[in-house]
Amino acid sequence: MIVKKTDNGYEFSTYTSEGAFLVTLTLSDAGAETIHMVSVRVPLSFTPLKLRRGTIKKAIGNQRWQNFIRMRKLDVSAILT
């Protein structure tokens, strides 16, 4: 999973286990969370969906979330976790 800082928040990007989709979870500075899925094999993209607050933390797990918190404290622009 790649976590990177954007102009208005953070993006968490990874491929699904079978590699068919690129999944991007976005956490805005305001706290809004969205998910966006793009097909890797065919030209197909889904409209980003809004998520409930706290969904990203649950989805990526405690260890990756702690790495993200550390990234924010250190003001790092991107990490591979």
Side-chain angles (χ1 to χ4, degrees):
M1 175 172 283
I2 298 172
V3 182
K4 66 180 179 177
K5 189 174 185 177
T6 63
D7 291 337
N8 60 351
Y10 294 88
E11 285 185 352
F12 303 77
S13 300
T14 191
Y15 289 96
T16 55
S17 59
E18 71 282 345
F21 292 93
L22 172 64
V23 179
T24 302
L25 302 165
T26 304
L27 175 62
S28 73
D29 290 333
E33 299 182 18
T34 59
I35 184 172
H36 187 212
M37 295 176 62
V38 177
S39 175
V40 174
R41 298 183 181 145
V42 295
L44 176 68
S45 177
F46 299 99
T47 303
L49 299 172
K50 292 181 182 178
L51 300 171
R52 289 187 201 155
R53 195 170 218 157
T55 302
I56 292 175
K57 182 178 178 179
K58 289 179 185 175
I60 67 173
N62 193 45
Q63 182 63 45
R64 285 184 172 150
W65 185 257
Q66 293 305 318
N67 290 343
F68 163 65
I69 297 298
R70 202 170 309 122
M71 171 191 164
R72 281 183 21 189
K73 286 180 183 175
L74 296 173
D75 199 31
V76 175
S77 61
I79 62 168
L80 178 63
T81 182

